[in-house]
Amino acid sequence: MRTKHKKEVKLKRLHSGAGGDPIKSSSSKTTNSQQQRDRSESPGKVRTLKTQEPLISTSGSLKPEPEEDDFTSNSAGVKRKRIKDELLEETPIRKSRSKKHSNDGDSEGSQNKKAKRQTKKAVKKEEGEHPVSKKVKRTKEEIEEARQLKMKKKEEEEQNRWRWWEEKKYEDGVKWMSLEHNGPYFPPEYQPLPDDVSFYYNGKKVKLSLAAEEVALFFAQMLDHEYTTKQVFRENFFKDWRKEMTAEERSLIQHLEKCDFGELHNLHKAKVEARKNMSKEEKQALKEANQKITDEYGYCLLDRHKERIGNFKIEPPGLFRGRGEHPKQGMLKKRVQPEDVIINCSKDSRIPVPPAGHRWKEVRHDNTVTWLASWTENVQGSIKYIMLNANSKLKGEKDWEKYEVARKLKSCVDDIRDQYLRDLKSKEMVTRQRAVALYFIDKLALRAGNEKEEGETADTVGCCSLRVEHITLHDQLDGNECVVEFDFLGKDSIRYYNKVPVIKKVFKSVKLFLENKEHGDDLFDRLNTSLLNKHLSSLMPGLTAKVFRTYNASITLQQQLKALTNQSDNEAEKLLSYNRANRAVAILCNHQRAPPKTFEQSMATLQTKIEARKEQLALAKTELKQAKKEAKAKEVFKCVYLVERKKAAVKRCEEQLLKMEVQATDREENKQIALGTSKLNYLDPRISVAWCKNMGVPIEKIYNKTQREKFAWAIDMTEADFEF
DNA sequence: GAATTCACTTAGTACAGCAAAG
DNA sequence: CTTTGCTGTACTAAGTGAATTC
């Protein structure tokens, strides 16, 4: 039986129309944002776990990369390789040298030059017989210098890195023993408009008060954006804007339609343009100023270790941009004052100093939490936190823990699956619904689906909050029996669209759940996330719905990597396989992105390149034939040589063509799929590290610098035989 | 036991910056 | 040298889930 509250909510939803079919809009015109969000595959295609297996047929025949890369010393890959080699073999020399270097600074002292010459020699030796062209040589010194600097930095970082994973963990909720920082950085004050720029109302020039002017500018800046055409956005903005106005302004400015922000908008555009056209020096100065801010506010001292802060800047004021059909879009996000901010640090530390003339809301010393500062945001009333960077101990330890819980699930997932399959037969409705929900969460990696407050957020759902209108049952579909069609908006209003063949018991159960329900009703009316998680934690300590997502993502990666890569593949093939395994996970987790704006075009240019290469190949082939013919007839040495050359040309052409085709396929497959989210949040990095070790692929090929820092613990501790 | 609060993870997008291409 | 295209980063919204309050 539904609770009274829920019933009320449903009714409201039905009447407001917000709960109506969010996909097929009632209006015949499809807006841009709808198109953008509508990223599912063409209807009629059944997306099952099976289709996640990569499909490119050329993968088995990719040839090694052409060697020519090795001769251009500015190729990033080669540079990286060298740095690594040197680091491994020459550490003692480098140490003394880098010290000297740091004394010299950037100047071109003679000592410096001497040191450089030494390295050059060493590099030469390493390169062996690779000839270096003259042109390259000239910039060699610069390259060398840059390399040295990089190396020095890398080394320093390595030495400074806090190997927290080798330390004992704190017990019972204690997050740190000492914490010191400089507080958050506040955005600059509002700069009033110049005199020659005005706002007009009803065609008349109006000088706005400072507060009203600032908010007007927020709107003017967004004028090019589609947001500003949306009714809800405009209404919310106008309402909040009027709150910022003086009484006279409020009585004058009654209609948004009569507002002319043209000059403000142009001013903004000019500013953007000016920023783009800044001189090198100006850009440099700006960069340095930013660096100074980062140096001062970007770090903290946690248990005597310097750690980077993730978001040390207070969010600037502006207009709230929710995702999807957010009822609060356009509302004013107010400027945060120091008086709104709570500081958290250790008692005996240097307490951060508030900006002149201000004080903090509160200074507390709570070492059971990880945040350094917090404030309550005015649009949703939620708390915002200043926290550490992903490469910090606090974040890393938690991440590690997360994957350990997921691995524990691996050891008992069979039992849990047996259990919920048995529960599908339960006479009790709660148990039965719980079983079906778990089945979905496990099989489809759905999110838990907490309830949300109506009217406060966009209408999105997860597993437990699925409603009648989000699923369609098909006894028969495309040759499959018992197909459940899912169509709903999930987190960030990203559409989840999937047709899944399920086992009979699940199908029957869902049919049962739907009986006597109508549009707007919950599919799982007896179930919520809290109930579900309570049950899960009784099956295994620490188990919650989201662990299934982590577990299934990581195990999928491991399986896919095993299935797709061969020891004998070349590096490019191995990386392609890695990407495909990654992609399988991203598809499972429904991680989507808007297709890049230039996608169609860049695809087309690639296609023309492929065509050109094909022609070239055909030409090369005919030339080869010709050469062969001649060689047969004459048997002259020169002709034999020519045949060899033509053969090589054909081969090279084929390789390049193949490479481009693979690239095209890869890009096409990736069009709407975002790999980053799963890589960063769902895939146990130890799987990737072990794979790299087994396959002889350098870790830099799959993780960029940021990612390597975040996963330093995994890179350091993982052996080749790691099993998730 | 429902609602609210709090802390923390997960998410896509805008845009800067850089390298390759022209 | 400029344009193009791509990658990495900053940003902040939107989830999850435990604890607390009513």
Side-chain angles (χ1 to χ4, degrees):
Chain A
M1 202 64 62
R2 241 180 277 121
T3 66
K4 199 179 167 193
H5 170 79
K6 274 193 176 175
K7 179 80 181 181
E8 276 167 12
V9 165
K10 301 285 165 39
L11 285 175
K12 229 164 90 193
R13 193 176 266 134
L14 279 171
H15 288 272
S16 68
D21 194 334
I23 308 305
K24 287 147 234 150
S25 156
S26 51
S27 73
S28 56
K29 196 182 100 203
T30 314
T31 68
N32 275 346
S33 83
Q34 271 168 340
Q35 278 171 350
Q36 203 184 25
R37 292 291 165 192
D38 184 15
R39 296 171 191 159
S40 73
E41 300 162 37
S42 56
K45 190 170 160 192
V46 180
R47 197 178 77 179
T48 65
L49 287 175
K50 231 179 168 181
T51 61
Q52 283 161 24
E53 278 155 28
L55 304 157
I56 308 181
S57 54
T58 49
S59 73
S61 51
L62 194 69
K63 293 290 170 355
E65 297 225 48
E67 298 245 316
E68 57 190 50
D69 265 7
D70 283 354
F71 293 97
T72 49
S73 57
N74 59 357
S75 146
V78 175
K79 230 192 280 173
R80 242 182 270 130
K81 209 159 72 193
R82 283 196 196 127
I83 290 167
K84 199 181 158 210
D85 290 346
E86 284 181 355
L87 254 182
L88 287 176
E89 286 153 30
E90 291 189 279
T91 314
I93 303 172
R94 175 122 316 88
K95 249 182 188 152
S96 61
R97 211 185 293 139
S98 61
K99 235 183 212 152
K100 216 183 269 171
H101 208 92
S102 66
N103 288 339
D104 289 353
D106 277 347
S107 74
E108 279 278 305
S110 60
Q111 276 186 344
N112 214 346
K113 271 187 189 155
K114 198 172 148 197
K116 241 184 268 167
R117 235 172 281 132
Q118 276 178 9
T119 339
K120 207 172 181 180
K121 234 190 199 161
V123 172
K124 239 324 176 3
K125 224 164 82 189
E126 259 179 43
E127 282 175 343
E129 54 274 279
H130 290 336
V132 180
S133 80
K134 260 229 167 107
K135 234 185 189 167
V136 175
K137 223 174 199 165
R138 219 167 19 147
T139 55
K140 187 111 193 183
E141 300 234 323
E142 284 168 24
I143 293 169
E144 193 55 46
E145 198 168 328
R147 187 187 303 166
Q148 280 219 4
L149 215 74
K150 240 193 214 164
M151 218 139 33
K152 200 184 88 194
K153 262 198 185 152
K154 196 172 173 180
E155 200 182 289
E156 249 168 45
E157 261 163 38
E158 204 58 53
Q159 279 184 357
N160 290 338
R161 178 160 289 141
W162 179 10
R163 302 167 68 84
W164 50 261
W165 50 93
E166 289 170 354
E167 292 177 17
K168 244 181 95 189
K169 290 180 192 168
Y170 290 135
E171 301 295 320
D172 59 321
V174 171
K175 303 289 168 48
W176 44 264
M177 294 312 287
S178 73
L179 174 63
E180 181 166 277
H181 58 92
N182 290 341
Y185 172 79
F186 287 86
E189 294 283 301
Y190 173 64
Q191 299 297 321
L193 292 178
D195 290 334
D196 59 336
V197 176
S198 306
F199 164 77
Y200 296 84
Y201 187 74
N202 218 356
K204 283 204 237 22
K205 194 186 271 194
V206 177
K207 175 78 185 158
L208 293 170
S209 65
L210 214 60
E213 188 185 278
E214 181 177 10
V215 179
L217 194 58
F218 292 151
F219 190 79
Q221 282 170 352
M222 300 177 79
L223 237 37
D224 281 333
H225 205 287
E226 196 219 329
Y227 280 123
T228 54
T229 63
K230 287 193 181 172
Q231 202 45 235
V232 180
F233 189 97
R234 292 171 71 86
E235 276 166 18
N236 283 332
F237 157 72
F238 195 60
K239 203 170 142 208
D240 278 4
W241 184 32
R242 280 170 55 83
K243 286 183 202 156
E244 299 300 308
M245 294 177 186
T246 62
E248 301 103 278
E249 285 167 347
R250 206 165 17 246
S251 72
L252 172 69
I253 302 170
Q254 304 263 6
H255 301 283
L256 183 54
E257 292 70 36
K258 294 183 184 167
C259 293
D260 177 2
F261 300 96
E263 289 190 7
L264 314 208
H265 182 58
N266 288 338
L267 174 76
H268 171 251
K269 276 202 294 196
K271 267 189 184 160
V272 170
E273 190 62 24
R275 202 175 327 138
K276 223 168 57 193
N277 295 331
M278 271 191 306
S279 71
K280 263 213 172 101
E281 293 74 30
E282 287 170 310
K283 275 185 183 161
Q284 186 60 30
L286 201 69
K287 210 174 160 186
E288 275 163 25
N290 279 329
Q291 188 57 50
K292 232 181 106 186
I293 292 168
T294 306
D295 288 344
E296 184 171 355
Y297 295 97
Y299 298 86
C300 72
L301 215 55
L302 187 132
D303 293 343
R304 301 175 188 291
H305 293 273
K306 191 173 174 183
E307 295 261 48
R308 250 176 81 197
I309 301 172
N311 57 325
F312 57 88
K313 288 177 177 166
I314 295 275
E315 290 172 18
L319 302 185
F320 176 78
R321 307 148 81 120
R323 305 195 179 142
E325 291 303 321
H326 197 116
K328 299 198 169 188
Q329 63 190 117
M331 284 174 68
L332 172 64
K333 193 167 97 170
K334 290 191 176 150
R335 183 176 291 272
V336 175
Q337 302 294 161
E339 284 72 11
D340 304 321
V341 175
I342 303 174
I343 298 290
N344 191 35
C345 61
S346 50
K347 252 182 188 142
D348 53 353
S349 73
R350 261 186 331 103
I351 309 290
V353 183
H358 288 279
R359 53 185 179 77
W360 302 120
K361 176 178 185 183
E362 183 191 336
V363 177
R364 65 171 76 158
H365 314 289
D366 183 354
N367 73 348
T368 67
V369 296
T370 67
W371 51 269
L372 319 189
S374 71
W375 74 91
T376 303
E377 160 264 7
N378 70 297
V379 176
Q380 319 235 44
S382 66
I383 310 171
K384 300 269 187 165
Y385 300 93
I386 304 277
M387 288 187 191
L388 295 187
N389 187 268
N391 66 7
S392 63
K393 173 196 173 176
L394 253 23
K395 294 285 184 191
E397 216 166 53
K398 200 81 188 291
D399 212 31
W400 183 15
E401 216 177 278
K402 174 181 73 187
Y403 291 115
E404 285 309 303
V405 174
R407 285 176 86 196
K408 216 162 84 193
L409 173 57
K410 185 192 176 187
S411 67
C412 60
V413 73
D414 289 337
D415 291 341
I416 291 174
R417 283 174 178 159
D418 285 347
Q419 155 109 223
Y420 72 61
L421 288 177
R422 263 182 279 125
D423 283 348
L424 284 172
K425 286 177 270 183
S426 172
K427 292 264 183 327
E428 230 180 322
M429 197 52 155
V430 197
T431 313
R432 192 116 166 224
Q433 293 196 352
R434 197 180 65 201
V436 172
L438 257 176
Y439 177 88
F440 288 158
I441 285 172
D442 186 19
K443 186 181 171 73
L444 305 172
L446 298 189
R447 294 186 186 83
N450 282 316
E451 286 124 300
K452 308 164 71 189
E453 225 178 310
E454 181 94 4
E456 297 292 304
T457 59
D459 178 22
T460 63
V461 298
C463 184
C464 292
S465 46
L466 281 169
R467 298 196 301 269
V468 171
E469 64 267 32
H470 297 132
I471 50 173
T472 313
L473 298 180
H474 304 274
D475 295 312
Q476 284 280 333
L477 187 74
D478 307 328
N480 289 301
E481 288 192 344
C482 299
V483 176
V484 182
E485 181 181 347
F486 292 83
D487 193 345
F488 61 89
L489 298 183
K491 184 178 179 180
D492 293 314
S493 294
I494 296 289
R495 184 183 180 193
Y496 184 92
Y497 183 74
N498 201 356
K499 292 172 184 167
V500 195
V502 301
I503 57 175
K504 266 219 171 73
K505 268 183 279 179
V506 167
F507 194 77
K508 273 190 183 160
S509 296
V510 174
K511 221 172 212 173
L512 178 72
F513 302 160
L514 289 175
E515 270 172 23
N516 299 318
K517 284 188 194 168
E518 50 187 48
H519 192 281
D521 290 347
D522 280 345
L523 171 63
F524 301 115
D525 52 298
R526 308 293 180 84
L527 191 68
N528 60 39
T529 51
S530 146
L531 224 56
L532 180 67
N533 281 332
K534 245 173 224 150
H535 173 246
L536 286 175
S537 74
S538 78
L539 300 180
M540 185 196 109
L543 186 62
T544 63
K546 92 186 184 88
V547 178
F548 279 89
R549 241 166 110 82
T550 312
Y551 161 71
N552 277 312
S554 284
I555 202 75
T556 301
L557 178 77
Q558 189 170 69
Q559 284 164 355
Q560 289 287 308
L561 284 177
K562 214 169 263 173
L564 295 174
T565 34
N566 303 305
Q567 204 48 257
S568 56
D569 293 345
N570 65 45
E571 194 173 281
E573 284 175 307
K574 284 173 179 168
L575 287 172
L576 182 67
S577 300
Y578 183 87
N579 273 337
R580 288 203 172 136
N582 193 166
R583 188 148 54 226
V585 176
I587 290 170
L588 175 68
C589 294
N590 199 39
H591 289 143
Q592 300 192 34
R593 60 168 184 173
K597 286 201 171 69
T598 53
F599 184 86
E600 291 307 330
Q601 210 204 330
S602 79
M603 213 56 203
T605 41
L606 190 59
Q607 212 44 247
T608 36
K609 269 190 199 166
I610 288 175
E611 292 306 319
R613 188 64 73 178
K614 269 184 186 161
E615 273 172 38
Q616 208 183 336
L617 178 62
L619 184 69
K621 270 184 178 163
T622 47
E623 278 180 3
L624 173 60
K625 244 182 220 161
Q626 186 66 29
K628 266 184 184 164
K629 225 189 249 166
E630 277 176 37
K632 226 173 205 172
K634 295 182 194 163
E635 295 239 356
V636 186
F637 171 76
K638 211 172 132 196
C639 290
V640 178
Y641 175 69
L642 190 70
V643 169
E644 285 310 311
R645 267 200 12 211
K646 292 290 172 198
K647 257 188 196 163
V650 168
K651 205 177 154 201
R652 207 169 50 231
C653 255
E654 275 172 343
E655 279 165 8
Q656 282 170 349
L657 180 62
L658 202 56
K659 207 174 140 189
M660 279 200 276
E661 278 174 340
V662 168
Q663 193 191 359
T665 324
D666 201 43
R667 212 190 287 175
E668 184 68 47
E669 285 179 358
N670 244 7
K671 182 178 179 181
Q672 299 186 296
I673 300 174
L675 299 185
T677 305
S678 49
K679 207 172 183 176
L680 235 47
N681 300 304
Y682 288 102
L683 302 177
D684 188 331
R686 292 170 294 183
I687 298 169
S688 298
V689 174
W691 178 83
C692 278
K693 287 200 167 155
N694 281 321
M695 292 294 159
V697 173
I699 195 78
E700 294 83 5
K701 297 283 174 183
I702 58 165
Y703 287 146
N704 67 30
K705 187 162 162 285
T706 316
Q707 292 161 342
R708 290 197 300 277
E709 280 171 7
K710 169 168 179 172
F711 298 132
W713 57 274
I715 294 170
D716 185 63
M717 68 166 71
T718 309
E719 308 289 345
D721 64 355
F722 174 84
E723 274 268 341
F724 176 77

